[in-house]
Coordinates of all heavy atoms in Angstrom, one line a residue:
E114 N -6.4 -3.5 -1.2 CA -5.1 -3.0 -0.8 C -4.7 -1.7 -1.5 O -4.1 -0.8 -0.9 CB -4.0 -4.1 -1.3 CG -4.1 -5.3 -0.4 CD -3.9 -5.1 1.0 OE1 -2.8 -4.5 1.4 OE2 -4.7 -5.5 1.8
L115 N -5.2 -1.5 -2.7 CA -4.9 -0.2 -3.4 C -5.6 0.9 -2.7 O -5.0 2.0 -2.5 CB -5.4 -0.3 -4.9 CG -4.9 0.8 -5.8 CD1 -3.3 0.7 -6.0 CD2 -5.5 0.6 -7.2
S116 N -6.9 0.7 -2.2 CA -7.6 1.8 -1.6 C -7.0 2.1 -0.2 O -6.8 3.3 0.2 CB -9.1 1.4 -1.4 OG -9.2 0.2 -0.7
L117 N -6.6 1.1 0.5 CA -6.0 1.3 1.8 C -4.6 2.0 1.7 O -4.2 2.7 2.6 CB -5.9 0.0 2.6 CG -7.2 -0.7 3.0 CD1 -6.9 -2.0 3.7 CD2 -8.0 0.2 3.9
S118 N -4.0 1.7 0.6 CA -2.6 2.3 0.4 C -2.6 3.8 0.2 O -1.6 4.5 0.4 CB -2.0 1.7 -0.8 OG -1.8 0.3 -0.6
V119 N -3.8 4.4 -0.1 CA -3.9 5.8 -0.3 C -3.4 6.5 1.0 O -2.8 7.6 0.9 CB -5.3 6.2 -0.7 CG1 -5.4 7.8 -0.8 CG2 -5.6 5.7 -2.1
D120 N -3.9 6.0 2.1 CA -3.5 6.6 3.4 C -2.0 6.5 3.6 O -1.4 7.5 4.1 CB -4.2 5.9 4.5 CG -4.7 6.8 5.6 OD1 -4.9 8.0 5.3 OD2 -4.8 6.4 6.8
N121 N -1.4 5.5 3.1 CA 0.1 5.3 3.2 C 0.8 6.4 2.4 O 1.8 7.0 2.8 CB 0.5 3.9 2.7 CG 1.8 3.4 3.3 OD1 2.5 4.2 3.9 ND2 2.1 2.2 3.1
V122 N 0.2 6.7 1.2 CA 0.8 7.7 0.3 C 0.8 9.1 1.0 O 1.8 9.8 1.0 CB -0.1 7.8 -1.0 CG1 0.3 9.1 -1.7 CG2 0.2 6.6 -1.8
F123 N -0.3 9.4 1.7 CA -0.3 10.7 2.4 C 0.6 10.8 3.6 O 1.2 11.9 3.9 CB -1.8 11.0 2.9 CG -2.7 11.2 1.8 CD1 -4.1 10.8 1.9 CD2 -2.4 11.8 0.6 CE1 -5.0 11.0 0.9 CE2 -3.2 12.0 -0.5 CZ -4.6 11.6 -0.3
V124 N 0.9 9.6 4.2 CA 1.9 9.6 5.3 C 3.3 9.8 4.7 O 4.1 10.6 5.3 CB 1.8 8.3 6.1 CG1 3.0 8.2 7.1 CG2 0.5 8.2 6.8
W125 N 3.5 9.2 3.6 CA 4.8 9.5 2.9 C 5.0 11.0 2.6 O 6.1 11.5 2.8 CB 4.9 8.7 1.6 CG 5.1 7.3 1.7 CD1 5.3 6.6 2.8 CD2 5.1 6.3 0.6 NE1 5.4 5.2 2.5 CE2 5.3 5.1 1.2 CE3 4.9 6.4 -0.7 CZ2 5.4 3.9 0.4 CZ3 4.9 5.3 -1.5 CH2 5.2 4.0 -0.9
A126 N 3.9 11.6 2.2 CA 4.0 13.1 1.9 C 4.4 13.9 3.1 O 5.2 14.8 3.0 CB 2.6 13.5 1.3
V127 N 3.9 13.5 4.2 CA 4.2 14.2 5.5 C 5.7 14.0 5.8 O 6.4 14.9 6.2 CB 3.4 13.7 6.7 CG1 3.8 14.2 8.0 CG2 1.9 14.0 6.4
I128 N 6.2 12.7 5.7 CA 7.6 12.4 6.0 C 8.5 13.2 5.0 O 9.5 13.8 5.5 CB 7.8 10.9 5.9 CG1 7.0 10.2 7.0 CG2 9.3 10.6 6.0 CD1 7.1 8.7 6.9
L143 N 11.6 6.1 -2.2 CA 10.4 5.4 -2.3 C 10.5 4.0 -3.0 O 9.9 3.1 -2.6 CB 9.3 6.2 -2.9 CG 8.8 7.5 -2.2 CD1 7.8 8.2 -3.0 CD2 8.4 7.1 -0.8
G146 N 11.9 1.8 -0.5 CA 10.8 1.6 0.5 C 9.8 0.6 0.1 O 9.4 -0.3 0.8
V147 N 9.5 0.6 -1.2 CA 8.6 -0.3 -1.8 C 9.2 -1.7 -1.8 O 8.5 -2.7 -1.5 CB 8.1 0.1 -3.2 CG1 7.5 -1.1 -4.0 CG2 7.1 1.3 -3.1
A150 N 9.0 -3.1 1.5 CA 7.6 -3.4 1.9 C 7.2 -4.8 1.3 O 6.5 -5.5 1.9 CB 6.7 -2.3 1.3
R154 N 5.8 -7.6 3.7 CA 4.5 -8.1 3.5 C 4.5 -9.6 3.3 O 3.6 -10.3 3.7 CB 3.8 -7.4 2.3 CG 3.5 -5.9 2.5 CD 2.5 -5.6 3.5 NE 2.4 -4.2 3.7 CZ 1.5 -3.5 3.1 NH1 0.6 -4.1 2.3 NH2 1.4 -2.2 3.3
I186 N -8.8 5.2 12.0 CA -8.7 5.9 10.7 C -9.9 6.9 10.5 O -9.7 8.0 10.1 CB -8.7 4.9 9.5 CG1 -7.3 4.1 9.6 CG2 -8.9 5.6 8.2 CD1 -7.2 3.1 8.5
L240 N 12.2 5.5 8.2 CA 10.8 6.0 8.6 C 9.7 5.5 7.7 O 8.7 5.0 8.1 CB 10.8 7.5 8.6 CG 11.2 8.2 9.9 CD1 11.2 9.7 9.8 CD2 10.3 7.8 11.1
V241 N 10.0 5.5 6.4 CA 9.1 5.0 5.4 C 8.8 3.5 5.7 O 7.6 3.0 5.6 CB 9.6 5.2 4.0 CG1 8.7 4.4 2.9 CG2 9.6 6.7 3.6
E242 N 9.8 2.7 5.9 CA 9.7 1.3 6.2 C 8.9 1.1 7.5 O 8.1 0.2 7.6 CB 11.0 0.6 6.3 CG 11.8 0.6 5.0 CD 11.2 -0.4 3.9 OE1 10.1 -0.9 4.2 OE2 11.8 -0.5 2.9
S243 N 9.2 1.9 8.5 CA 8.5 1.7 9.8 C 7.0 2.0 9.7 O 6.2 1.4 10.3 CB 9.1 2.6 10.9 OG 8.9 4.0 10.6
T244 N 6.6 3.0 8.8 CA 5.2 3.3 8.6 C 4.5 2.1 7.9 O 3.4 1.8 8.2 CB 5.0 4.6 7.8 OG1 5.7 4.5 6.5 CG2 5.6 5.8 8.6
D245 N 5.3 1.5 6.9 CA 4.7 0.4 6.2 C 4.4 -0.8 7.2 O 3.5 -1.6 7.0 CB 5.5 -0.1 5.1 CG 4.8 -1.2 4.2 OD1 3.9 -0.8 3.5 OD2 5.2 -2.3 4.4
L246 N 5.3 -0.9 8.2 CA 5.1 -2.0 9.2 C 3.8 -1.7 9.9 O 3.0 -2.7 10.2 CB 6.3 -1.9 10.2 CG 6.2 -2.9 11.4 CD1 6.3 -4.4 10.8 CD2 7.4 -2.7 12.3
V247 N 3.5 -0.5 10.3 CA 2.3 -0.2 10.9 C 1.1 -0.4 10.0 O 0.1 -1.0 10.4 CB 2.3 1.3 11.4 CG1 0.9 1.7 12.0 CG2 3.4 1.6 12.4
F248 N 1.2 0.0 8.8 CA 0.1 -0.2 7.8 C -0.2 -1.7 7.5 O -1.3 -2.1 7.2 CB 0.3 0.6 6.5 CG 0.0 2.0 6.6 CD1 0.9 3.0 6.8 CD2 -1.4 2.4 6.6 CE1 0.6 4.3 6.9 CE2 -1.7 3.8 6.7 CZ -0.7 4.7 6.8
A249 N 0.9 -2.5 7.5 CA 0.8 -3.9 7.3 C -0.1 -4.6 8.3 O -0.8 -5.6 8.0 CB 2.2 -4.6 7.2
S252 N -3.5 -3.8 6.8 CA -3.8 -4.3 5.4 C -3.7 -5.8 5.2 O -4.5 -6.4 4.5 CB -2.9 -3.6 4.4 OG -1.5 -3.9 4.6
I274 N 1.3 -2.4 -4.0 CA 2.4 -1.7 -3.5 C 3.2 -1.1 -4.7 O 3.8 0.0 -4.6 CB 3.3 -2.6 -2.6 CG1 2.5 -3.0 -1.3 CG2 4.6 -2.0 -2.3 CD1 3.2 -4.0 -0.5
L277 N 2.4 2.4 -5.8 CA 2.3 3.4 -4.8 C 3.2 4.6 -5.1 O 2.9 5.8 -4.8 CB 2.7 2.9 -3.4 CG 1.7 2.0 -2.7 CD1 2.1 1.7 -1.3 CD2 0.3 2.7 -2.7
M280 N 1.6 6.8 -7.6 CA 0.4 7.4 -6.9 C 0.8 8.5 -6.0 O 0.1 9.5 -5.9 CB -0.3 6.3 -6.2 CG -1.7 6.7 -5.7 SD -2.5 5.4 -4.7 CE -2.8 4.2 -6.0
Y281 N 1.9 8.3 -5.3 CA 2.4 9.4 -4.4 C 2.6 10.7 -5.2 O 2.1 11.8 -4.7 CB 3.7 9.0 -3.7 CG 4.4 10.1 -3.1 CD1 4.0 10.7 -1.9 CD2 5.5 10.7 -3.8 CE1 4.7 11.8 -1.3 CE2 6.1 11.8 -3.2 CZ 5.7 12.3 -2.0 OH 6.4 13.4 -1.5
L294 N -12.1 11.0 2.9 CA -11.4 9.7 2.5 C -11.2 8.8 3.7 O -11.4 7.6 3.7 CB -10.1 9.9 1.8 CG -9.4 8.7 1.2 CD1 -10.4 8.0 0.2 CD2 -8.2 9.1 0.5
N295 N -10.7 9.4 4.9 CA -10.4 8.6 6.0 C -11.7 7.9 6.5 O -11.7 6.8 7.0 CB -9.9 9.5 7.2 CG -8.4 9.8 6.9 OD1 -7.8 9.2 6.2 ND2 -7.9 10.8 7.6
L298 N -12.3 5.0 4.2 CA -11.4 3.9 4.5 C -11.7 3.2 5.8 O -11.6 1.9 5.9 CB -9.9 4.4 4.6 CG -9.3 5.0 3.3 CD1 -7.9 5.5 3.5 CD2 -9.3 3.9 2.2

Side-chain angles (χ1 to χ4, degrees):
E114 290 301 305
L115 196 63
S116 61
L117 294 178
S118 296
V119 174
D120 220 26
N121 207 347
V122 166
F123 291 147
V124 171
W125 286 355
V127 172
I128 294 173
L143 293 181
V147 164
R154 296 292 177 94
I186 288 178
L240 271 177
V241 168
E242 294 290 5
S243 66
T244 59
D245 187 73
L246 178 63
V247 174
F248 279 102
S252 64
I274 291 172
L277 284 188
M280 188 184 295
Y281 163 78
L294 184 60
N295 281 344
L298 295 178

